[in-house]
Amino acid sequence: MTMATTTSPASPTAMPKRIFNFSAGPATLPESVLLQAREDILSIFGSGIGIMEHSHRGKEFIRVIEEAEADCRTLANISDDYAVLFLQGGATTQFATIPMNFLPSGKTADYLNTGVWTTKAIKEAKNLGSVNVAFEGKDCDFDHVPTQEELSLTDGAAYLHYCSNNTIFGTQYKTLPSSDAPLIADMSSDIFSRPLDINAHAMIYAGAQKNLGPAGTALIIIRKDFMETGAAGLPSMFDYRQHAAKGSSLNTPPTFGIYVIGQVFKWLLNQGGIDTLNTRNIEKSALLYDAIDTSNGFYSCVSKPECRSLMNVSFKSPNADLDAKFVQEALDNDMSGLKGHRSAGGLRASIYNAFPRQGCEVLAQFMRDFTKANG
Amino acid sequence: MTMATTTSPASPTAMPKRIFNFSAGPATLPESVLLQAREDILSIFGSGIGIMEHSHRGKEFIRVIEEAEADCRTLANISDDYAVLFLQGGATTQFATIPMNFLPSGKTADYLNTGVWTTKAIKEAKNLGSVNVAFEGKDCDFDHVPTQEELSLTDGAAYLHYCSNNTIFGTQYKTLPSSDAPLIADMSSDIFSRPLDINAHAMIYAGAQKNLGPAGTALIIIRKDFMETGAAGLPSMFDYRQHAAKGSSLNTPPTFGIYVIGQVFKWLLNQGGIDTLNTRNIEKSALLYDAIDTSNGFYSCVSKPECRSLMNVSFKSPNADLDAKFVQEALDNDMSGLKGHRSAGGLRASIYNAFPRQGCEVLAQFMRDFTKANG
């Protein structure tokens, strides 16, 4: 079967109609970044060569990756004690390479299980070494992230791994878990959406496709002295030291992904930085949580109130039929991606940094109208 | 240091000036594909959501990846005996995951060393198991790929690994190496540029950034019964079976990379398929090799005549000063990327599928003019 028809005319057009995209990831990107990419895809910096076509050893791409790293350091105030890496793959690759590097035989790593992604991280780690599940969220249907008192930590653990925001159940840590062991965080779904204490962490990683850019690139922020403790003799692509020594260009890096992430960093700085985004994210999520809390029980949250996520508002209507009706009617009103994850059901609005406030206002009004019509 | 300035105005523009980009990879992409991407980046299929922003579980991206696989199978006549996978990372990741999967303890893999990339592949494999270098090209400065008579194969080898085209030295196999062992080919730099015998191979892999699309995605064509012999207990991301079972969406795949690769497949089919490209590539490279062969020894090739690459024309002028002058004057004439790889020096013109014939004509004339002026 040949499927060689193209999808739309190959000529420059004006701005197409855009709808509100509540997808959990890949997710909405800043419109100004997309418009910039549209220019740079044919020729960047007036070079006559598009961003995807430039050699990773040429001065144009070196400018792109150096600016991306510098902007990232500015944005989150990252010191030279940390390496900033842009690696191929997403968080799932990190689920394996973290224990490959930092979980030696004879040591145990602590993991906090707060959802589907930490469950996967634990599975990969158990395949490679000794793991203590220091909090098991399955027992409470993942309705909250643990308090410090709920943790059963290992003395002398290799590290403590947690996920700062759980996209599926809509929970988020408001205070950091604490341990004597090095702290490793999967921040794929809330990185740079609120102030974060880099220096409390040995390593932070994030797949790009929620808050940073296109799928297929991961951002790694890793303390150099911790990085140096990684296992010897690993395949080069799984050895953080080798990537750091080559400035993320050990082999051909995912140049376009790094370019888009760099543009998102510029957008974040131009917006006013993380504090501004944090304020905006609190307001955006409050619009939706208010619609839930004032619905007289029509909508309910998955998460306990004290750990509600600012990024993923996971909720349910009274039953699955109404959930399905909600998703369809929202789509008819140009709001896409509101169906909950297949493992949790219900409804979910993912409203990362780049998701516009106006979309939350429109959805909140829709939620109220839907309650009136179906309550 | 804040580097938050953007690079060019964020408004749709007409076609910018484009130059001839001879980069070895990332490399020139078909202009019609870039124009299509420019449209789809803001909204694909009239969805109001850009290709980078669509969920990998949504119908739009599922259409993209299903069409990409179908077009790939049509293009190279790939039977259902083979899985077609789009994975994160490039060929360097495959250098490790191939021996992790297919080189068990007690077995030896044969590798043919024909350049820098096979040297790296051998290094990764030796780190993980027993390797026999069945041809050592270092001894002849990589000036040719081996004939069958030059191979010292292992009885009962786990597999035979070769690289079909060597970008740096500009050599290319004209006939397949033969072995009783399963044949694995790194085709990163010449896939779909000439007819290829899929069924002779257990596995073919290619980083996308030369002949297929943007860096950060690899195409894998693997015989299913061979795939099933992979080692048990690997991290899921390094296990081909798990990727195949999930249609390359074991985790969030590199959606934009797969989209661009899919568009390149459509372009290849619209051009007339692999045979048409092969004819065109023979003609394109002949323009440059003729300029070398008629230069009265001013230019010389790295490769022996019988294995000259159709994709990478590696050559030298009489000395390094003239090489540098050549590169600069070519750049002044809108021809970029002609400097040889740092490990080989000299000059190199990479002219993959998407590189236009006109660029070869212009370069050939420039080469003649340069000879006259400097010979």
Side-chain angles (χ1 to χ4, degrees):
Chain A
M1 170 177 50
T2 299
M3 311 194 72
T5 47
T6 52
T7 51
S8 69
S11 61
T13 60
M15 189 71 191
K17 177 186 170 181
R18 303 248 309 156
I19 68 171
F20 292 121
N21 173 21
F22 291 90
S23 171
T28 300
L29 288 166
E31 216 159 79
S32 63
V33 168
L34 297 179
L35 287 165
Q36 185 68 48
R38 184 160 77 155
E39 299 298 310
D40 294 341
I41 218 163
L42 279 154
S43 173
I44 187 168
F45 306 140
S47 63
I49 296 172
I51 174 59
M52 280 189 279
E53 306 169 297
H54 268 291
S55 168
H56 56 299
R57 308 286 181 202
K59 68 179 194 300
E60 291 82 2
F61 180 71
I62 288 172
R63 173 175 165 186
V64 165
I65 194 169
E66 286 182 350
E67 289 189 12
E69 180 178 339
D71 286 337
C72 183
R73 288 185 182 276
T74 301
L75 193 59
N77 195 21
I78 302 169
S79 79
D80 285 342
D81 293 343
Y82 288 78
V84 172
L85 307 177
F86 302 97
L87 302 188
Q88 295 164 6
T92 307
T93 297
Q94 301 299 315
F95 293 168
T97 53
I98 288 167
M100 285 166 76
N101 277 268
F102 303 117
L103 182 48
S105 173
K107 297 275 269 184
T108 295
D110 285 338
Y111 276 73
L112 311 187
N113 191 17
T114 53
V116 171
W117 301 107
T118 53
T119 301
K120 287 180 196 271
I122 288 166
K123 186 179 167 206
E124 295 293 340
K126 279 188 171 170
N127 185 41
L128 292 158
S130 169
V131 168
N132 167 49
V133 179
F135 171 75
E136 181 48 87
K138 251 191 316 196
D139 304 337
C140 59
D141 293 332
F142 298 118
D143 71 350
H144 72 290
V145 295
T147 60
Q148 192 64 27
E149 293 67 41
E150 290 179 282
L151 306 187
S152 305
L153 299 175
T154 306
D155 279 344
Y159 55 82
L160 170 63
H161 179 283
Y162 78 103
C163 178
S164 55
N165 182 76
N166 299 281
T167 51
I168 294 175
F169 302 99
T171 60
Q172 189 175 33
Y173 287 85
K174 304 302 173 182
T175 55
L176 291 182
S178 173
S179 166
D180 292 334
L183 198 58
I184 299 181
D186 175 358
M187 291 194 184
S188 296
S189 53
D190 68 354
I191 193 160
F192 302 155
S193 69
R194 56 174 181 165
L196 80 171
D197 185 356
I198 299 281
N199 295 324
H201 293 85
M203 176 176 174
I204 292 167
Y205 66 100
Q209 71 272 14
K210 297 173 190 292
N211 253 320
L212 296 177
T217 303
L219 173 68
I220 316 290
I221 303 166
I222 184 168
R223 211 176 58 225
K224 291 172 183 170
D225 62 357
F226 179 69
M227 181 172 73
E228 290 303 328
T229 68
L234 293 172
S236 60
M237 288 298 285
F238 311 146
D239 181 338
Y240 298 104
R241 286 165 298 209
Q242 293 195 48
H243 286 289
K246 298 288 186 181
S248 301
S249 292
L250 175 63
N251 71 332
T252 313
T255 54
F256 184 75
I258 294 169
Y259 157 80
V260 176
I261 292 170
Q263 291 295 323
V264 170
F265 291 158
K266 290 183 191 303
W267 177 82
L268 287 166
L269 289 168
N270 284 330
Q271 296 296 303
I274 289 177
D275 286 340
T276 306
L277 266 297
N278 182 48
T279 303
R280 198 183 293 173
N281 290 327
I282 291 170
E283 291 171 0
K284 280 158 56 184
S285 59
L287 288 165
L288 303 184
Y289 286 121
D290 285 352
I292 292 166
D293 293 339
T294 59
S295 72
N296 286 321
F298 184 84
Y299 300 113
S300 57
C301 265
V302 176
S303 169
K304 286 188 175 178
E306 64 271 22
C307 43
R308 284 174 170 180
S309 168
L310 304 187
M311 297 282 99
N312 309 93
V313 178
S314 288
F315 61 110
K316 292 174 197 278
S317 74
N319 61 61
D321 286 346
L322 280 173
D323 287 341
K325 190 179 178 197
F326 183 103
V327 169
Q328 185 56 52
E329 289 187 9
L331 190 59
D332 295 342
N333 285 278
D334 288 342
M335 289 176 281
S336 169
L338 285 160
K339 190 176 171 187
H341 189 270
R342 57 208 146 95
S343 69
L347 302 160
R348 174 172 54 166
S350 296
I351 49 173
Y352 304 116
N353 275 339
F355 188 87
R357 179 191 167 100
Q358 193 199 350
C360 293
E361 292 167 351
V362 171
L363 176 59
Q365 186 58 50
F366 175 83
M367 288 169 72
R368 290 199 181 86
D369 295 344
F370 191 83
T371 308
K372 272 184 212 150
N374 299 279
Chain B
M1 170 177 52
T2 299
M3 311 196 72
T5 47
T6 53
T7 51
S8 69
S11 62
T13 60
M15 189 72 189
K17 177 186 170 182
R18 302 250 306 157
I19 67 172
F20 292 121
N21 173 22
F22 291 90
S23 171
T28 300
L29 288 166
E31 215 159 79
S32 63
V33 168
L34 298 178
L35 289 165
Q36 184 69 49
R38 184 159 79 153
E39 299 297 311
D40 294 341
I41 219 164
L42 280 155
S43 174
I44 188 168
F45 306 139
S47 63
I49 296 172
I51 174 58
M52 280 190 277
E53 306 169 298
H54 268 292
S55 168
H56 56 298
R57 308 287 180 200
K59 68 179 193 303
E60 291 83 2
F61 180 71
I62 288 172
R63 173 175 163 187
V64 165
I65 194 169
E66 286 182 351
E67 287 189 13
E69 180 176 339
D71 286 337
C72 183
R73 288 185 182 277
T74 301
L75 194 58
N77 196 20
I78 302 168
S79 79
D80 285 342
D81 293 343
Y82 287 78
V84 172
L85 307 177
F86 302 97
L87 301 188
Q88 295 164 7
T92 306
T93 298
Q94 301 300 313
F95 293 169
T97 52
I98 288 167
M100 285 166 76
N101 276 268
F102 304 118
L103 182 48
S105 173
K107 296 276 268 184
T108 294
D110 285 338
Y111 276 74
L112 310 187
N113 192 17
T114 53
V116 171
W117 302 107
T118 53
T119 300
K120 287 179 195 270
I122 289 165
K123 186 178 166 207
E124 296 292 340
K126 279 188 171 170
N127 185 41
L128 292 158
S130 169
V131 168
N132 168 49
V133 179
F135 171 75
E136 182 48 87
K138 252 191 315 196
D139 304 337
C140 60
D141 293 332
F142 298 118
D143 71 350
H144 72 289
V145 297
T147 61
Q148 192 65 28
E149 293 67 40
E150 290 179 281
L151 306 186
S152 304
L153 299 174
T154 305
D155 279 344
Y159 55 83
L160 170 62
H161 178 282
Y162 78 104
C163 177
S164 55
N165 181 76
N166 299 281
T167 51
I168 293 174
F169 302 99
T171 60
Q172 189 174 34
Y173 288 85
K174 304 302 174 183
T175 54
L176 291 182
S178 174
S179 167
D180 292 334
L183 197 58
I184 298 182
D186 176 358
M187 291 196 185
S188 295
S189 54
D190 69 353
I191 192 159
F192 303 153
S193 69
R194 57 176 180 165
L196 79 172
D197 185 355
I198 299 282
N199 295 324
H201 292 84
M203 176 175 174
I204 292 167
Y205 66 99
Q209 71 271 16
K210 297 171 191 293
N211 253 319
L212 296 177
T217 303
L219 173 67
I220 316 292
I221 303 166
I222 184 167
R223 212 176 59 225
K224 291 173 183 170
D225 62 357
F226 179 69
M227 180 172 73
E228 291 301 329
T229 68
L234 293 172
S236 60
M237 288 298 285
F238 311 146
D239 180 338
Y240 298 103
R241 286 164 298 208
Q242 292 195 49
H243 286 289
K246 298 289 187 181
S248 300
S249 292
L250 175 62
N251 71 331
T252 313
T255 55
F256 183 75
I258 294 169
Y259 157 80
V260 176
I261 292 169
Q263 292 295 323
V264 170
F265 290 159
K266 290 183 191 304
W267 176 82
L268 287 166
L269 289 167
N270 284 331
Q271 296 296 302
I274 289 176
D275 287 340
T276 305
L277 266 297
N278 183 47
T279 303
R280 197 183 295 173
N281 290 327
I282 290 169
E283 292 172 0
K284 280 158 54 184
S285 59
L287 288 165
L288 304 184
Y289 286 121
D290 285 352
I292 292 166
D293 293 339
T294 59
S295 71
N296 287 320
F298 184 84
Y299 301 111
S300 57
C301 264
V302 176
S303 170
K304 286 189 176 176
E306 63 271 22
C307 43
R308 285 175 170 180
S309 169
L310 304 187
M311 298 282 99
N312 309 91
V313 179
S314 288
F315 61 109
K316 292 175 197 278
S317 75
N319 61 62
D321 287 345
L322 281 173
D323 287 342
K325 189 178 179 196
F326 184 102
V327 169
Q328 184 56 53
E329 290 187 9
L331 190 59
D332 295 341
N333 285 279
D334 288 342
M335 288 177 282
S336 168
L338 285 160
K339 190 176 172 187
H341 188 269
R342 57 208 146 94
S343 68
L347 302 161
R348 174 173 54 166
S350 296
I351 49 172
Y352 304 116
N353 274 338
F355 189 87
R357 181 191 166 99
Q358 194 200 347
C360 293
E361 292 167 351
V362 171
L363 177 59
Q365 187 56 51
F366 175 84
M367 289 169 72
R368 291 200 181 84
D369 295 344
F370 190 83
T371 308
K372 271 184 215 152
N374 299 279

